[in-house]
């Protein structure tokens, strides 16, 4: 199994996702600022993985706090939490993990500082392990929606690399495959960062799950030809009404799915729900560096000095979503009710 | 003005479209086999430009035929025509140009061979010049559909580079801009060959027509935000019923346009019509080298030895098309009638 992120000898170790699939390079971080930078630069990416990396980064930061009182510790802890919160705006799992770590510190404020640090480290490791367990359960629920013979389109990477392991959308695909179902996966390359061709294709190929790599603009063609009969993607944030923020391009696929009568599923852990916001309109969309669009592998592929848009995510309105698969079960419309029930 | 293809000193000269936008390199060809290879390798591409290149390549081949009779000439000519027909299967302009050159030779069979060669050369040059004129007229018709304030999405490159000059879809955009209309163009990068980011963005930037470059999967996002209110693309072949084969991804855009109530226009010369086929189902779709998808600028961006699909075109059914703009006027549904009338 791929190790996306681990805690080894008081360091946070990640596979560098900017170098895959041609190189398997592992990065070691011994301070939280570097972990924050790694999240920003997408050395690690994917909503659940960002949450785990944030928790581990915070735990790492906590280890090097020197403080004589909880108040002093808490002040320094606050700096770390704030730094982590500035990395990426869209995935709510980041803020969920930050809040978890803050609450964990608060709940153990009575402990001597060295023990408090140990508790925080253990909570971060637990968040990591829980994430893998969550994905396995979610995968089993989702696999019920997949039958032998299905050809499944997925976008971006919602795999082991986007989580602590196993994956959400790819967790469902893995579970279906492990159950012996004959499936074929269409992998969207997912410009500009190429998470599909670089990461999803790599994960599936490693496990011999049959796949066809396509460019993003081919999806409609294959749907019309009847070659795709199900779509499953991950999520970066899900509003109370079931609107889903996910990798740019997800919304276009949902529209195409509707036009072709193909079910469109979202797979995400409960920590991706943001019930504090009513609809997807309130989800902040990260705008990334134009160079991700104008250059590939350091090579200029567009004229210099032109205007470029690079929104990293889009919002798919709930009307386009057939069901949302979580570790607590499958939510069906109306999501306002079904998500609230699962989140309890 | 950009010179896409010219006849200079008995050579065919083309700007190398595989090297743009970072390098402006011109290629000179002194035999038809190299011209055929240039079409295959997409040194020159775009349906009308392929037609012009084929005509010029055939004229070039004709120059070096040594024959004592028309029958002998015709046999050798046939070889050239057949070689040219094997370059790319989808754009009908290729076959139109081949047929034009064959007919031209046949019509002048009574001439002495040297004069016949001269006539063929002149017909090829005429096809080139006519193409530019056609585009200017087509542009003026299309500009009627564009009003000041429009934000226009275009896909691939249907510009000066896709034609002998001025362009079809970009010809319409150019004409509207020349008329002083305030427009903004969203340019889809158009994977895998990047005709949008490499060629269309380059053409528009050269003429200071305002543009925003996006990746293909961002189009739906901007439509939903109301940032795009019109789509215009070129065509590689149009069936009698108005079904349009064009660059892969066109169909997905047409579906998105329908969902958002945005007009979807196709701009193409009459030579792109193939009234011999009833519907788009009969249009052959070229499957290109998987390396176009798995490598960019020579750099591997996907795992080796995975299955890849690379259809270069898709077919947009006529129901999705608001109007088809030609040099003979604008065709509106039902296309069966309106196209037949224009083609007369």
């Amino acid at each position: 199994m791929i190790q996306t992120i681990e805690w080894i000898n008081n360091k946070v170790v990640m596979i560098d996702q900017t170098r895959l699939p041609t190189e398997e390079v592992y990065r070691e971080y011994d301070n939280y600022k570097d972990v924050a930078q790694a999240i920003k630069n997408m050395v690690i990416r994917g909503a659940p993985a960002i949450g785990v990396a944030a928790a581990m980064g915070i735990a790492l930061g906590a280890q090097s706090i020197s403080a004589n009182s909880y108040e002093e510790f808490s002040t320094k802890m606050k700096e770390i939490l704030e730094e982590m919160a500035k990395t990426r705006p869209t995935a709510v799992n980041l803020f969920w993990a930050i809040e978890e770590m803050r609450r964990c510190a608060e709940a153990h404020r009575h402990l001597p500082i060295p023990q408090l640090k140990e508790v925080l480290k253990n909570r971060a490791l637990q968040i990591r392990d829980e994430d893998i367990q969550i994905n396995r359960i979610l995968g089993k629920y989702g696999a019920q929606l997949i039958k032998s013979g299905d050809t499944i389109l997925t976008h971006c990477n919602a795999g082991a690399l986007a989580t602590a392991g196993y994956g959400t959308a790819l967790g469902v695909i893995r579970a279906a495959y492990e159950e012996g179902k004959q499936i074929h996966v269409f992998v969207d390359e997912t410009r500009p960062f190429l998470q599909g061709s670089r990461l999803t294709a790599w994960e599936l190929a490693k496990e011999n799950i049959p796949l066809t790599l396509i460019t993003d603009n081919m999806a409609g063609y294959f749907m019309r030809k009847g070659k795709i009969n199900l779509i499953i993607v991950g999520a970066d944030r899900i509003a109370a009404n079931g609107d889903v923020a996910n990798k740019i391009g997800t919304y276009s696929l949902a529209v195409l799915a509707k036009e072709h009568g193909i079910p469109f599923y979202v797979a995400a852990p409960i920590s991706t729900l943001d019930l504090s916001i009513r609809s997807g309109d309130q989800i902040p969309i990260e705008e990334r560096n134009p160079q991700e669009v104008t250059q590939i592998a350091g090579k200029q592929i567009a004229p210099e000095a032109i205007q470029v848009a690079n929104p990293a995510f889009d919002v798919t309105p709930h009307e386009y979503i057939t069901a949302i698969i979580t570790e607590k079960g499958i939510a069906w419309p109306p999501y306002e009710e079904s998500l609230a029930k699962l989140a309890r």
Side-chain angles (χ1 to χ4, degrees), chain A:
Chain A
M1 193 164 140
I2 302 155
Q3 295 303 332
T4 307
I5 181 164
E6 288 183 290
W7 183 283
I8 301 172
N9 299 330
N10 281 325
K11 285 181 183 145
V12 175
V13 182
M14 306 173 191
I15 189 164
D16 186 343
Q17 300 192 28
T18 67
R19 307 295 281 274
L20 289 170
T22 45
E23 294 169 78
E24 287 187 33
V25 182
Y26 288 82
R27 305 287 174 199
E28 292 187 0
Y29 300 102
D30 60 9
N31 73 80
Y32 79 93
K33 288 195 177 190
D34 291 347
V35 172
Q37 201 56 49
I39 295 172
K40 240 183 234 174
N41 297 346
M42 297 170 73
V43 169
I44 191 163
R45 30 60 54 200
I50 289 171
V52 172
M56 283 201 181
I58 292 163
L60 195 62
Q63 304 308 304
S64 45
I65 291 176
S66 64
N68 295 313
S69 67
Y70 179 73
E71 282 61 40
E72 210 183 317
F73 183 88
S74 175
T75 307
K76 291 182 173 168
M77 187 75 175
K78 212 175 149 220
E79 267 176 48
I80 299 170
L81 300 178
E82 280 168 4
E83 177 95 9
M84 218 46 88
K86 282 186 286 187
T87 52
R88 298 195 68 196
T90 304
V92 77
N93 316 59
L94 173 75
F95 305 100
W96 172 87
I98 290 169
E99 180 57 17
E100 275 293 303
M101 294 302 282
R102 193 196 61 73
R103 257 192 293 192
C104 177
E106 196 62 26
H108 298 86
R109 56 182 303 156
H110 59 281
L111 289 180
I113 304 289
Q115 275 167 264
L116 177 57
K117 290 179 177 179
E118 190 66 16
V119 165
L120 285 168
K121 186 190 93 176
N122 290 339
R123 179 67 190 120
L125 296 185
Q126 196 184 25
I127 287 174
R128 175 186 179 279
D129 294 346
E130 280 171 1
D131 184 59
I132 302 173
Q133 288 317 307
I134 283 168
N135 293 337
R136 290 197 172 270
I137 299 165
L138 181 163
K140 281 217 179 299
Y141 276 118
Q144 297 170 8
L145 301 171
I146 295 178
K147 57 184 191 311
S148 224
D150 274 344
T151 50
I152 305 163
L153 173 71
T154 190
H155 186 59
C156 194
N157 173 270
L161 291 165
T163 59
Y166 204 69
T168 53
L170 283 197
V172 171
I173 288 168
R174 276 197 168 91
Y177 185 74
E178 285 165 9
E179 289 171 7
K181 290 173 181 162
Q182 305 286 322
I183 54 172
H184 189 97
V185 184
F186 277 79
V187 178
D188 255 0
E189 71 172 0
T190 317
R191 281 282 290 149
F193 208 69
L194 300 167
Q195 290 94 335
S197 51
R198 296 195 304 101
L199 310 178
T200 297
W202 181 78
E203 280 195 34
L204 294 175
K206 259 192 183 248
E207 297 182 29
N208 297 312
I209 301 176
L211 73 105
T212 300
L213 176 64
I214 60 173
T215 60
D216 299 289
N217 56 19
M218 292 175 192
Y221 171 83
F222 285 107
M223 285 187 220
R224 187 160 179 97
K225 280 179 92 83
K227 301 277 189 189
I228 291 167
N229 68 315
L230 189 153
I231 299 180
I232 182 163
V233 298
D236 288 79
R237 195 186 295 216
I238 303 175
N241 69 346
D243 289 355
V244 168
N246 191 46
K247 181 54 51 200
I248 188 74
T250 302
Y251 169 61
S252 294
L253 293 177
V255 170
L256 287 165
K258 178 187 158 195
E259 184 76 5
H260 297 92
I262 294 168
F264 186 88
Y265 298 119
V266 172
I270 291 290
S271 58
T272 306
L273 294 182
D274 183 356
L275 300 185
S276 76
I277 58 170
R278 237 195 57 71
S279 87
D281 296 345
Q282 294 161 263
I283 301 174
I285 300 294
E286 178 182 11
E287 182 75 25
R288 292 186 61 86
N289 195 325
Q291 285 195 352
E292 290 181 359
V293 175
T294 58
Q295 298 184 355
I296 297 182
K299 161 120 181 159
Q300 189 73 20
I301 53 162
E304 313 255 3
I306 57 167
Q307 191 177 318
V308 175
N310 189 13
F313 304 94
D314 59 26
V315 172
T316 300
H318 58 91
E319 312 89 90
Y320 294 90
I321 299 164
T322 311
I324 299 173
I325 305 156
T326 78
E327 75 275 24
K328 299 268 198 76
I330 300 172
W332 301 91
Y335 293 114
E336 204 95 43
E337 289 167 31
S338 58
L339 290 177
K341 202 178 285 179
L342 290 183
R344 248 173 239 153

